Amino acid sequence: MPLAIISGTHWGDEGKGKIVDFISQKANMVIRAQGGSNAGHTVVVDTKKYVFHLIPSGILHPNIKCILGDGMVIDPADLLQEIQFLRENGWEDSLQRLFISEKAHLVMPYHRLFDQLQESFRQNSRIGTTGRGIGPAYEDKVSRWGIRAVDLFNMDSLKAKLQLVLNYKNILLEKVFEKPPLSFEKIFEQFENYSEQLKPYIVHVLPIIHDALATNQNIIIEGAQGTMLDLDHGTYPYVTSSHPVAAGSLLGAGLGPLSDIQSIGICKAYTSRVGEGPFPTECLDHTGEALRERGGEYGSTTGRPRRCGWLDGVVLKYAVQINALTSLVITKLDVLGGFSKIYFCTHYRIGNRISSELPIQPYDWKIAQPVYQELEGWESDISNIQYYNDLPRATRDYIEFIEDFIEIPVAILSVGQDRKSTIVRKEIF
Ligand code: GDP
Ligand code: IMO
Ligand code: MG
């Protein structure tokens, strides 16, 4: 079955955008199924850098259909900015291949505001969100206050919905947060404008997706965030509000448990995290700094410095299980060049116990210490290498050690930002 689900194995920013763009060379469709503009997916083609927040990372390939799926939360202002960026950079034609699901929810101006207000209210317990209104938008979807893309087709009904929701939000704003209310007229006018601009892209996407499946086309579902940011399966409450795991991708794309899916994990050669929450392999010393500087580990969405550390194999093994991964992609391998030793976390020490499983208790997460396997590093710059066998012995040993540890194959290696800096061991399509 030519359906590949791409999921981040850790806390996001594993290089999913780069890999989706790379494998899109042989694909017909890329679907984003969850999350919103909290994602920042970087694609570099011939030194030109693109950062996609909502638009699928396959858009730069001719003929590929790009779908913003049912499970997403879409901020119209962010989307229009991305559309404008494509227009200004010579990609006007690509917009004919862009489709937005009618069922996708919209991120409203009050969602962003409540994201900030809730974070301030939490004080020392803040999540460290991207501030893009994602949590409040999913909250409204679940409590059935949500406004969907389809609502942009009927302004009378949108007016009534917005009036009701805004009355409620304004009571919260004034009475709970002691803030001025938001103007209905202003928001409605803004959305009349969004409606005009976005209606051409909003369609019933399910027939398009199912037709692609029926005709055996190559489809990629581009996960956003990462396994450990999953609302159910991540480091709750330090998670996002959607389901970045593979099952969430299927749900958000409107697909059932099809057999014979390729579930591909994207894993960075080391680990990073943005925002608050547990991170057992975080290096708070010069190693963390070196990884951040060499890897350019600053958020693609917020510019925040990312916390960095050695590769967490306990999380990786969990990601293999929970996403039913069939193969792995290891990115940013070039960044490790120059370290004399490389460390890979095989277990956690929790008090006087050694564990190969993730803790559940928040306290255990707090005290979990990594148990490392030490491996030889490599000195040389590997970023121009095209074939696996040309990599230094120590680099191959690191990859093969990981393969033995997780018991699934490493299909692709990434050794640089550019599309070309990619080593394929096993074709995806
Ligand atoms: P995503 O959210 O998973 O798509 O990842 P981001 O785009 O947020 O962050 C990954 C960063 O690493 C981006 O700046 C990419 O251009 C960059 N990148 C991806 N793969 C490689 C690689 O193999 N080597 C290097 N040096 N950079 C990479
Ligand atoms: P991509 O797709 C890294 C993190 C935030 C915060 C938590 C909740 O680029 O890998 P949210 O705004 O979603 O309510 O924030 O999740 N987060 C990400 N971290 N990469 C991302 O996306 C992220 N999207 C959300 O930093 O800790
Ligand atoms: Mg990112």
Side-chain angles (χ1 to χ4, degrees):
M1 165 87 58
L3 173 67
I5 302 178
I6 301 296
S7 315
T9 51
H10 289 75
W11 284 280
D13 302 326
E14 296 90 350
K16 299 176 292 294
K18 158 160 182 176
I19 299 303
V20 168
D21 168 72
F22 180 79
I23 61 175
S24 289
Q25 294 177 104
K26 292 193 184 163
N28 306 96
M29 177 178 287
V30 183
I31 308 169
R32 271 283 304 274
Q34 43 71 230
S37 55
N38 48 349
H41 294 182
T42 315
V43 174
V44 178
V45 189
D46 298 331
T47 71
K48 172 113 182 115
K49 180 172 158 177
Y50 303 80
V51 181
F52 297 112
H53 300 284
L54 291 160
I55 292 182
S57 302
I59 193 80
L60 304 179
H61 296 276
N63 306 323
I64 261 195
K65 287 187 175 145
C66 284
I67 296 186
L68 276 66
D70 303 352
M72 287 188 79
V73 289
I74 299 169
D75 186 324
D78 288 341
L79 180 56
L80 287 167
Q81 231 177 50
E82 261 177 73
I83 289 176
Q84 188 58 21
F85 176 84
L86 286 173
R87 279 207 177 103
E88 285 168 2
N89 285 273
W91 292 96
E92 175 85 40
D93 286 355
S94 72
L95 300 173
Q96 286 167 14
R97 303 182 270 107
L98 188 65
F99 304 91
I100 303 171
S101 167
E102 292 170 329
K103 293 187 209 159
H105 279 245
L106 300 181
V107 176
M108 307 296 289
Y110 43 82
H111 292 142
R112 270 188 190 242
L113 182 58
F114 276 94
D115 197 349
Q116 287 155 19
L117 291 171
Q118 288 174 356
E119 282 285 87
S120 322
F121 190 82
R122 287 174 191 273
Q123 295 183 343
N124 294 337
S125 320
R126 69 186 193 286
I127 307 293
T129 72
T130 58
R132 298 294 182 109
I134 305 301
Y138 278 114
E139 268 178 49
D140 274 6
K141 168 175 167 171
V142 172
S143 35
R144 289 150 295 170
W145 290 114
I147 290 180
R148 300 186 298 167
V150 68
D151 293 321
L152 296 179
F153 285 96
N154 184 332
M155 295 321 276
D156 287 338
S157 125
L158 176 66
K159 195 175 222 170
K161 280 185 193 180
L162 185 61
Q163 227 143 19
L164 179 69
V165 186
L166 203 60
N167 281 346
Y168 175 71
K169 300 288 175 189
N170 277 339
I171 291 174
L172 290 176
L173 275 178
E174 289 183 285
K175 303 256 157 52
V176 178
F177 291 102
E178 297 175 338
K179 297 283 174 199
L182 294 174
S183 150
F184 168 80
E185 285 73 22
K186 216 167 139 191
I187 298 179
F188 187 67
E189 199 178 304
Q190 219 174 18
F191 275 72
E192 277 181 319
N193 178 298
Y194 293 153
S195 156
E196 284 316 305
Q197 295 195 64
L198 290 179
K199 269 193 305 198
Y201 304 102
I202 302 171
V203 292
H204 188 32
V205 296
L206 222 53
I208 305 177
I209 297 173
H210 283 269
D211 181 59
L213 270 181
T215 51
N216 244 15
Q217 296 185 32
N218 294 337
I219 305 173
I220 299 168
I221 308 183
E222 176 178 2
Q225 290 77 53
T227 302
M228 299 309 288
L229 290 171
D230 186 278
L231 183 58
D232 281 328
H233 304 290
T235 42
Y236 190 89
Y238 300 100
V239 293
T240 190
S241 303
S242 70
H243 294 289
V245 295
S249 282
L250 284 172
L251 179 67
L255 297 173
L258 299 159
S259 56
D260 211 12
I261 294 169
Q262 296 195 63
S263 181
I264 302 165
I266 313 296
C267 172
K268 194 145 54 181
Y270 49 97
T271 301
S272 71
R273 171 161 209 174
V274 210
E276 308 301 319
F279 179 5
T281 64
E282 180 173 18
C283 297
L284 292 166
D285 56 5
H286 60 278
T287 303
E289 248 163 63
L291 288 169
R292 181 161 47 250
E293 291 315 313
R294 294 181 200 190
E297 294 294 348
Y298 294 88
S300 317
T301 298
T302 59
R304 290 179 289 178
R306 295 175 182 152
R307 301 156 63 191
C308 293
W310 296 113
L311 181 49
D312 189 329
V314 183
V315 165
L316 181 56
K317 224 171 199 169
Y318 175 75
V320 171
Q321 277 184 337
I322 210 121
N323 297 298
L325 296 184
T326 50
S327 65
L328 196 73
V329 173
I330 298 184
T331 61
K332 304 192 87 156
L333 207 50
D334 54 307
V335 175
L336 294 186
F339 284 96
S340 56
K341 301 281 179 199
I342 308 260
Y343 296 87
F344 178 92
C345 168
T346 55
H347 295 83
Y348 294 153
R349 179 176 288 107
I350 301 171
N352 51 16
R353 194 162 56 83
I354 299 287
S355 175
S356 56
E357 290 187 3
L358 294 183
I360 296 293
Q361 293 281 352
Y363 180 71
D364 286 349
W365 266 117
K366 211 174 234 167
I367 62 167
Q369 292 295 320
V371 176
Y372 285 122
Q373 171 74 40
E374 184 183 275
L375 293 113
E376 287 305 312
W378 56 92
E379 284 304 323
S380 50
D381 173 11
I382 58 169
S383 57
N384 290 316
I385 293 180
Q386 295 280 302
Y387 300 101
Y388 184 72
N389 287 333
D390 295 339
L391 286 168
R393 181 70 257 173
T395 318
R396 283 178 285 146
D397 284 346
Y398 184 49
I399 300 303
E400 286 157 32
F401 175 83
I402 296 171
E403 270 182 330
D404 286 345
F405 187 79
I406 56 173
E407 299 178 280
I408 58 163
V410 173
I412 296 177
L413 304 173
S414 173
V415 292
Q417 284 191 297
D418 200 273
R419 189 188 278 169
K420 291 194 201 98
S421 310
T422 315
I423 299 172
V424 179
R425 295 174 79 203
K426 183 179 163 280
E427 296 283 353
I428 303 297
F429 297 123

